[in-house]
Coordinates of all heavy atoms in Angstrom, one line a residue:
V35 N 67.6 77.7 -31.3 CA 67.1 77.8 -32.6 C 66.0 76.7 -32.8 O 65.0 77.0 -33.5 CB 68.2 77.7 -33.7 CG1 67.7 77.5 -35.1 CG2 69.1 78.9 -33.6
E36 N 66.1 75.6 -32.2 CA 65.0 74.6 -32.2 C 63.8 75.2 -31.6 O 62.7 74.9 -32.1 CB 65.4 73.3 -31.4 CG 66.3 72.3 -32.3 CD 66.8 71.2 -31.4 OE1 66.2 70.9 -30.3 OE2 67.9 70.6 -31.8
A37 N 63.9 75.9 -30.5 CA 62.7 76.5 -29.9 C 62.1 77.5 -30.8 O 60.9 77.5 -30.9 CB 63.1 77.1 -28.5
A38 N 62.9 78.3 -31.4 CA 62.4 79.4 -32.3 C 61.7 78.7 -33.5 O 60.6 79.2 -33.9 CB 63.5 80.3 -32.8
Q39 N 62.2 77.6 -34.0 CA 61.7 76.9 -35.1 C 60.3 76.3 -34.7 O 59.3 76.5 -35.4 CB 62.6 75.8 -35.5 CG 62.4 75.2 -36.8 CD 63.6 74.4 -37.3 OE1 64.4 73.8 -36.4 NE2 63.9 74.3 -38.6
Q40 N 60.3 75.6 -33.5 CA 59.0 75.0 -33.1 C 57.9 76.0 -32.8 O 56.8 75.8 -33.1 CB 59.3 74.2 -31.8 CG 60.1 72.9 -32.1 CD 60.4 72.1 -30.8 OE1 59.8 72.4 -29.7 NE2 61.3 71.2 -30.9
E41 N 58.3 77.2 -32.3 CA 57.3 78.2 -32.0 C 57.1 79.3 -33.1 O 56.4 80.2 -32.9 CB 57.6 78.8 -30.6 CG 57.7 77.9 -29.5 CD 56.4 77.1 -29.2 OE1 55.3 77.5 -29.7 OE2 56.5 76.0 -28.6
K42 N 57.8 79.1 -34.2 CA 57.7 80.1 -35.3 C 58.0 81.5 -34.8 O 57.2 82.4 -35.0 CB 56.4 80.0 -36.0 CG 56.1 78.6 -36.5 CD 54.8 78.5 -37.2 CE 54.5 77.2 -37.9 NZ 55.0 76.0 -37.3
A43 N 59.2 81.7 -34.2 CA 59.5 83.0 -33.6 C 60.8 83.5 -34.2 O 61.8 82.7 -34.4 CB 59.7 82.8 -32.1
P44 N 60.9 84.8 -34.6 CA 62.2 85.3 -34.9 C 63.1 85.4 -33.6 O 62.5 85.4 -32.5 CB 61.8 86.8 -35.3 CG 60.4 86.9 -35.2 CD 59.8 85.7 -34.5
V45 N 64.4 85.4 -33.8 CA 65.2 85.3 -32.6 C 66.5 86.1 -32.8 O 67.0 86.2 -34.0 CB 65.5 83.8 -32.3 CG1 66.5 83.2 -33.3 CG2 66.0 83.7 -30.8
I46 N 67.1 86.6 -31.7 CA 68.4 87.2 -31.7 C 69.3 86.4 -31.0 O 69.1 86.0 -29.8 CB 68.3 88.6 -31.1 CG1 67.3 89.5 -31.9 CG2 69.7 89.3 -31.0 CD1 67.0 90.8 -31.2
L47 N 70.4 86.0 -31.6 CA 71.5 85.2 -31.0 C 72.6 86.3 -30.7 O 73.1 86.9 -31.6 CB 72.0 84.1 -31.9 CG 71.0 83.1 -32.3 CD1 71.6 82.0 -33.2 CD2 70.3 82.4 -31.1
Q48 N 72.9 86.4 -29.4 CA 73.9 87.5 -29.1 C 75.2 86.9 -28.5 O 75.1 85.9 -27.8 CB 73.3 88.6 -28.3 CG 72.7 88.3 -27.0 CD 72.0 89.5 -26.4 OE1 71.8 90.5 -27.0 NE2 71.6 89.3 -25.1
V49 N 76.3 87.5 -28.8 CA 77.6 87.1 -28.5 C 78.3 88.2 -27.7 O 78.4 89.3 -28.2 CB 78.4 86.8 -29.8 CG1 79.8 86.5 -29.6 CG2 77.7 85.6 -30.6
S50 N 78.8 87.9 -26.5 CA 79.5 88.8 -25.7 C 81.0 88.8 -26.1 O 81.5 87.8 -26.7 CB 79.3 88.6 -24.2 OG 80.0 87.3 -23.9
A51 N 81.8 89.7 -25.5 CA 83.2 89.7 -25.7 C 83.7 88.4 -25.0 O 84.6 87.7 -25.6 CB 83.8 90.9 -25.0
G52 N 83.1 88.0 -23.9 CA 83.5 86.8 -23.2 C 83.3 85.6 -24.0 O 84.0 84.6 -24.0
A53 N 82.1 85.6 -24.8 CA 81.8 84.4 -25.6 C 82.8 84.3 -26.8 O 83.2 83.2 -27.1 CB 80.4 84.6 -26.2
R54 N 83.2 85.5 -27.3 CA 84.2 85.4 -28.4 C 85.5 84.9 -27.9 O 86.3 84.3 -28.6 CB 84.4 86.9 -29.0 CG 83.2 87.3 -29.9 CD 83.4 88.7 -30.4 NE 84.2 88.8 -31.6 CZ 85.3 89.5 -31.7 NH1 85.8 90.1 -30.6 NH2 85.9 89.6 -32.8
K55 N 85.8 85.3 -26.7 CA 87.1 84.8 -26.1 C 87.0 83.3 -25.8 O 88.0 82.6 -26.1 CB 87.4 85.6 -24.8 CG 88.8 85.4 -24.3 CD 89.0 86.4 -23.1 CE 90.4 86.0 -22.5 NZ 90.5 86.4 -21.1
Y56 N 85.9 82.8 -25.3 CA 85.7 81.4 -25.0 C 85.7 80.5 -26.2 O 86.5 79.5 -26.3 CB 84.4 81.3 -24.2 CG 84.1 79.8 -23.9 CD1 84.8 79.1 -22.9 CD2 83.1 79.2 -24.7 CE1 84.4 77.7 -22.7 CE2 82.8 77.8 -24.5 CZ 83.5 77.1 -23.5 OH 83.2 75.8 -23.3
A57 N 84.9 80.9 -27.2 CA 84.6 80.0 -28.3 C 85.4 80.3 -29.6 O 85.5 79.5 -30.5 CB 83.1 79.9 -28.6
K58 N 85.9 81.6 -29.6 CA 86.5 82.2 -30.8 C 85.4 82.7 -31.8 O 84.4 81.9 -32.1 CB 87.4 81.2 -31.6 CG 88.7 81.0 -30.8 CD 89.7 80.3 -31.8 CE 91.0 79.9 -31.1 NZ 91.9 79.1 -31.9
H59 N 85.6 83.9 -32.3 CA 84.6 84.5 -33.2 C 84.2 83.5 -34.3 O 83.0 83.3 -34.6 CB 85.3 85.7 -33.8 CG 84.4 86.5 -34.7 ND1 83.7 87.6 -34.4 CD2 84.1 86.3 -36.0 CE1 83.0 88.1 -35.4 NE2 83.2 87.3 -36.4
V60 N 85.2 82.9 -35.0 CA 84.8 82.1 -36.2 C 84.0 80.9 -35.8 O 83.1 80.5 -36.6 CB 86.1 81.7 -36.9 CG1 87.0 80.7 -36.2 CG2 85.8 81.2 -38.3
Y61 N 84.2 80.3 -34.7 CA 83.4 79.1 -34.3 C 81.9 79.5 -34.1 O 81.0 78.9 -34.6 CB 83.9 78.4 -33.0 CG 85.1 77.6 -33.3 CD1 86.4 78.2 -33.3 CD2 85.0 76.2 -33.5 CE1 87.5 77.4 -33.5 CE2 86.2 75.5 -33.7 CZ 87.4 76.1 -33.7 OH 88.5 75.3 -33.9
L62 N 81.7 80.7 -33.5 CA 80.4 81.1 -33.2 C 79.7 81.5 -34.5 O 78.5 81.2 -34.7 CB 80.4 82.3 -32.2 CG 80.8 81.8 -30.8 CD1 81.0 83.0 -29.8 CD2 79.8 80.8 -30.2
T63 N 80.4 82.3 -35.4 CA 79.7 82.7 -36.6 C 79.4 81.5 -37.5 O 78.4 81.4 -38.1 CB 80.5 83.7 -37.4 OG1 81.8 83.2 -37.6 CG2 80.6 85.0 -36.7
K64 N 80.3 80.5 -37.5 CA 80.1 79.3 -38.3 C 78.9 78.5 -37.8 O 78.1 77.9 -38.5 CB 81.3 78.5 -38.5 CG 82.4 79.2 -39.3 CD 82.0 79.4 -40.7 CE 82.9 80.3 -41.5 NZ 82.4 80.7 -42.8
L65 N 78.8 78.4 -36.4 CA 77.7 77.7 -35.8 C 76.4 78.3 -36.1 O 75.4 77.7 -36.4 CB 77.9 77.5 -34.3 CG 78.9 76.5 -33.8 CD1 79.3 76.7 -32.4 CD2 78.4 75.1 -34.1
V66 N 76.4 79.7 -36.1 CA 75.2 80.4 -36.4 C 74.8 80.2 -37.9 O 73.7 80.1 -38.3 CB 75.3 81.9 -36.0 CG1 74.1 82.7 -36.5 CG2 75.4 82.0 -34.5
E67 N 75.9 80.3 -38.8 CA 75.6 80.0 -40.2 C 75.0 78.6 -40.4 O 74.0 78.4 -41.2 CB 77.0 80.0 -41.0 CG 77.3 81.3 -41.6 CD 78.7 81.2 -42.3 OE1 79.0 80.2 -43.0 OE2 79.5 82.1 -42.1
A68 N 75.4 77.6 -39.6 CA 74.8 76.3 -39.7 C 73.4 76.3 -39.2 O 72.5 75.7 -39.8 CB 75.7 75.3 -38.8
A69 N 73.1 77.1 -38.2 CA 71.7 77.2 -37.7 C 70.8 77.8 -38.7 O 69.7 77.3 -38.9 CB 71.7 78.0 -36.4

Side-chain angles (χ1 to χ4, degrees):
V35 173
E36 276 171 25
Q39 200 166 25
Q40 287 177 14
E41 301 303 340
K42 301 182 173 36
V45 74
I46 298 168
L47 302 178
Q48 57 187 12
V49 169
S50 69
R54 285 175 87 239
K55 193 172 172 204
Y56 172 77
K58 289 192 183 174
H59 181 100
V60 67
Y61 284 83
L62 293 172
T63 53
K64 292 298 169 187
L65 284 168
V66 172
E67 266 177 45

